[in-house]
Amino acid sequence: MVFKNFIFGVTIRVVFMAVFISMAAYNYLSTGFSLLFSIWVLFAVIVMFNLIHYCNDFNKKVTKFLESIRYADFNSNFSTNNKKGKTFKTMNKAFNEVLNAFKKIRSEAETQNLVLYTVLQHIQTGIISFNSNGRVGIINNSAKKLLGIGQMKNIEDLEVVNQQLHETFTKMRPGQNFLIKTNPETQLSINSTGLKMDGQYWTLVAIQNIQNELRKHELDAWQNLTKVLRHEIMNSITPISTLVSSLNDIIIEDAVQTEKGDYSIEEESYQDICDGLKTIENRSRGLLRFVNAYREYSNIPETNIEVVNVKILLQSISQLLKEDFQNEKIELNYEIKPEEMVINADEELIEMVLINLLKNAKEALLEQDDRKITVKAFNNGQGLGCISVTDNGPGIEQSKLDRIFIPFYTTKKEGSGIGLALARQIMQLHGGDIKIFSTPGKETTFSLHFRV
């Protein structure tokens, strides 16, 4: 509307100027130079200057408005009591409305930035951002405290404080995670992500001291382990102690001293003592097996990570278990997509995990008529390589799933409860994970997840 009025104002002035020039030309051609000719020329000049002033005034208003936006000077004001007509009054009012809207937006943005800054400075997590040149953009108080530095304008400033931290931040790439122990009381968990601002790539880093959390989890782990050990040991020691007491009573009550000074005992009592000693032997061996299982669980060798062809790995395992599965009439199927799929892993340890999962699946199918096990290998599209083992057995109840990876917990009569706990520990050493999904009465799936 403003610009339509402006065009109309310009058009009127141009029309008047054209009329005055035409009248001046007509008089000049009719009478030559005369007073009337001079008057028409004067009017044309006056209209021309008025047009120039009118356009300049409009341009000045527009320029002032655009510069206010450019330099974020939203306190500028355009008078709505303009004497130059309705056009300028309407334009000034529109400019003021736009500037007030920008002013309101900036005020809200400043309020949000203030809130974010306050939150950033008061959270316990350290936050720091830096660009590809190492220049620090944001660093909060928690980050300064955790890094042990007062001020930091560049990542190079860390070299004076801690050489290990400096090397970590220098080599850090978006998406990487690190654990660094800077002193006995500080274990830093450092997580990074990348973002792009103003055409520059920045690395945003979150830093947390997880020492207290680690101690809490360590204490919980020891308490849980102590409960398991106490439970297993008491299960063996209590009946042994009771049985020894009973055998002692038998000997005291039934042993008879002969004339030669020897002792004799009735055959029935003798048989009871033999049975009791046999039971003690069996329980002692069971306790010894438990101790050996614990030693096996706690002494996993270091991983030797290398590129492993999944197809060759599964073929090797299939050849090893082929006869055993055929004897049990179990159908074993493999699906590998893509066929040339590889993973970064310790081949021997992963082979041990897969053999354990396949044997568990086999044992779950022994009471089934239709026995099938499917092994699938695939990339899940999220940077993870997966190998899953699925059986169509009876499944596992939800209440048992939550404890399935706890050391020494087992759902089998002859199980040690070590296999799955060992499998999880091995996968964690690979930086991966093992997961379980089970539908009672239908199937159970264990899946191994690797970094590709």
Side-chain angles (χ1 to χ4, degrees), residues 138-157:
I138 298 173
I139 181 169
N140 66 352
N141 293 329
S142 295
K144 295 176 183 177
K145 183 179 178 181
L146 292 170
L147 296 176
I149 192 169
Q151 295 294 331
M152 188 166 71
K153 295 183 179 180
N154 196 286
I155 294 301
E156 296 299 323
D157 297 340

Side-chain angles (χ1 to χ4, degrees), residues 65 111 183 249 256 327 334 340 352 402 448:
F65 171 72
T111 301
N183 58 61
D249 291 340
V256 179
N327 292 337
Y334 292 92
E340 64 277 7
M352 183 172 69
D402 298 333
L448 309 179

Side-chain angles (χ1 to χ4, degrees), residues 351-366:
E351 186 178 80
M352 183 172 69
V353 171
L354 288 171
I355 289 174
N356 182 61
L357 293 179
L358 287 167
K359 285 187 174 180
N360 287 348
K362 182 196 74 171
E363 292 171 5
L365 295 174
L366 293 181

Side-chain angles (χ1 to χ4, degrees), residues 15 18 81 84 90 132 188 247 273 298 311 327 356 372 422:
V15 169
N81 296 320
K84 296 182 179 180
T90 305
S132 55
L188 297 182
L247 294 178
I273 292 174
S298 58
K311 184 177 181 179
N327 292 337
N356 182 61
K372 291 182 181 179
L422 197 62

Side-chain angles (χ1 to χ4, degrees), residues 435-446:
K435 299 180 181 179
I436 180 175
F437 175 81
S438 184
T439 303
K442 185 178 180 182
E443 65 180 20
T444 298
T445 298
F446 283 90

Side-chain angles (χ1 to χ4, degrees), residues 39-157:
I39 292 172
W40 290 122
V41 171
L42 179 62
F43 283 164
V45 171
I46 291 172
V47 173
M48 182 181 68
F49 277 105
N50 182 266
L51 175 62
I52 293 172
H53 180 72
Y54 182 79
C55 291
N56 282 341
D57 211 22
F58 186 85
N59 289 338
K60 287 178 181 178
K61 295 280 185 183
V62 173
T63 301
K64 181 182 177 182
F65 171 72
L66 294 177
E67 287 183 345
S68 296
I69 295 177
R70 180 183 177 186
Y71 298 108
D73 180 16
F74 303 130
N75 292 319
S76 300
N77 187 50
F78 296 85
S79 175
T80 55
N81 296 320
N82 202 293
K83 298 178 180 180
K84 296 182 179 180
K86 185 179 179 181
T87 298
F88 281 87
K89 182 178 180 180
T90 305
M91 180 179 67
N92 289 346
K93 183 179 179 181
F95 285 167
N96 285 334
E97 289 175 353
V98 173
L99 291 177
N100 287 334
F102 275 113
K103 187 176 181 180
K104 183 179 179 181
I105 292 172
R106 185 176 70 174
S107 177
E108 292 175 351
E110 289 176 348
T111 301
Q112 291 178 353
N113 288 338
L114 181 61
V115 172
L116 288 174
Y117 178 80
T118 304
V119 171
L120 189 66
Q121 294 301 327
H122 286 82
I123 60 175
Q124 297 299 314
T125 301
I127 301 294
I128 179 172
S129 67
F130 58 91
N131 63 10
S132 55
N133 297 322
R135 183 173 69 85
V136 174
I138 298 173
I139 181 169
N140 66 352
N141 293 329
S142 295
K144 295 176 183 177
K145 183 179 178 181
L146 292 170
L147 296 176
I149 192 169
Q151 295 294 331
M152 188 166 71
K153 295 183 179 180
N154 196 286
I155 294 301
E156 296 299 323
D157 297 340

Side-chain angles (χ1 to χ4, degrees), residues 130-404:
F130 58 91
N131 63 10
S132 55
N133 297 322
R135 183 173 69 85
V136 174
I138 298 173
I139 181 169
N140 66 352
N141 293 329
S142 295
K144 295 176 183 177
K145 183 179 178 181
L146 292 170
L147 296 176
I149 192 169
Q151 295 294 331
M152 188 166 71
K153 295 183 179 180
N154 196 286
I155 294 301
E156 296 299 323
D157 297 340
L158 276 175
E159 189 172 11
V160 181
V161 179
N162 188 299
Q163 185 66 33
Q164 186 181 10
L165 282 173
H166 174 257
E167 291 178 359
T168 300
F169 275 80
T170 302
K171 298 176 182 178
M172 184 181 294
R173 295 292 179 268
Q176 290 185 318
N177 304 318
F178 298 91
L179 283 177
I180 298 178
K181 194 174 184 68
T182 56
N183 58 61
E185 298 298 323
T186 306
Q187 176 96 3
L188 297 182
S189 171
I190 302 175
N191 304 284
S192 65
T193 186
L195 65 155
K196 187 177 182 181
M197 295 188 300
D198 299 329
Q200 285 188 323
Y201 288 97
W202 291 78
T203 300
L204 185 65
V205 182
I207 310 169
Q208 288 181 305
N209 183 9
I210 60 172
Q211 184 66 31
N212 291 334
E213 196 67 22
L214 286 176
R215 286 177 177 173
K216 181 178 180 298
H217 283 294
E218 184 180 11
L219 179 60
D220 290 341
W222 276 111
Q223 288 176 342
N224 290 332
L225 180 59
T226 302
K227 290 178 182 177
V228 172
L229 292 174
R230 185 176 68 245
H231 175 75
E232 292 296 329
I233 292 173
M234 290 302 293
N235 281 349
S236 295
I237 295 297
T238 301
I240 288 176
S241 176
T242 303
L243 195 54
V244 168
S245 178
S246 299
L247 294 178
N248 187 55
D249 291 340
I250 291 174
I251 292 174
I252 292 174
E253 294 176 2
D254 297 349
V256 179
Q257 189 173 16
T258 64
E259 294 178 357
K260 295 180 180 181
D262 297 331
Y263 286 89
S264 65
I265 195 169
E266 294 182 1
E267 184 178 353
E268 183 179 354
S269 298
Y270 171 78
Q271 189 62 44
D272 289 340
I273 292 174
C274 289
D275 292 342
L277 291 175
K278 187 66 177 178
T279 302
I280 291 174
E281 181 187 11
N282 292 335
R283 294 305 303 164
S284 299
R285 287 179 176 175
L287 187 58
L288 186 60
R289 282 197 302 270
F290 171 77
V291 172
N292 288 332
Y294 172 72
R295 183 174 60 184
E296 179 185 355
Y297 174 71
S298 58
N299 291 311
I300 298 178
E302 293 185 3
T303 55
N304 178 27
I305 304 297
E306 57 186 2
V307 177
V308 177
N309 185 296
V310 176
K311 184 177 181 179
I312 296 176
L313 173 65
L314 294 181
Q315 285 177 343
S316 174
I317 296 173
S318 177
Q319 188 67 29
L320 185 66
L321 301 177
K322 183 178 180 180
E323 184 176 349
D324 190 18
F325 277 59
Q326 286 178 345
N327 292 337
E328 298 294 345
K329 298 180 180 179
I330 296 175
E331 180 183 339
L332 184 58
N333 301 311
Y334 292 92
E335 297 179 17
I336 306 172
K337 293 181 181 179
E339 285 197 7
E340 64 277 7
M341 176 180 169
V342 295
I343 56 174
N344 293 320
D346 185 311
E347 185 170 359
E348 291 184 1
L349 290 179
I350 296 304
E351 186 178 80
M352 183 172 69
V353 171
L354 288 171
I355 289 174
N356 182 61
L357 293 179
L358 287 167
K359 285 187 174 180
N360 287 348
K362 182 196 74 171
E363 292 171 5
L365 295 174
L366 293 181
E367 297 182 4
Q368 297 280 122
D369 294 329
D370 181 26
R371 304 173 181 179
K372 291 182 181 179
I373 296 176
T374 303
V375 180
K376 294 182 180 179
F378 57 94
N379 293 325
N380 67 356
Q382 299 177 356
L384 295 177
C386 298
I387 301 177
S388 66
V389 177
T390 303
D391 66 73
N392 64 333
I396 304 173
E397 298 175 5
Q398 183 62 43
S399 59
K400 295 179 180 179
L401 288 180
D402 298 333
R403 295 178 288 171
I404 201 77

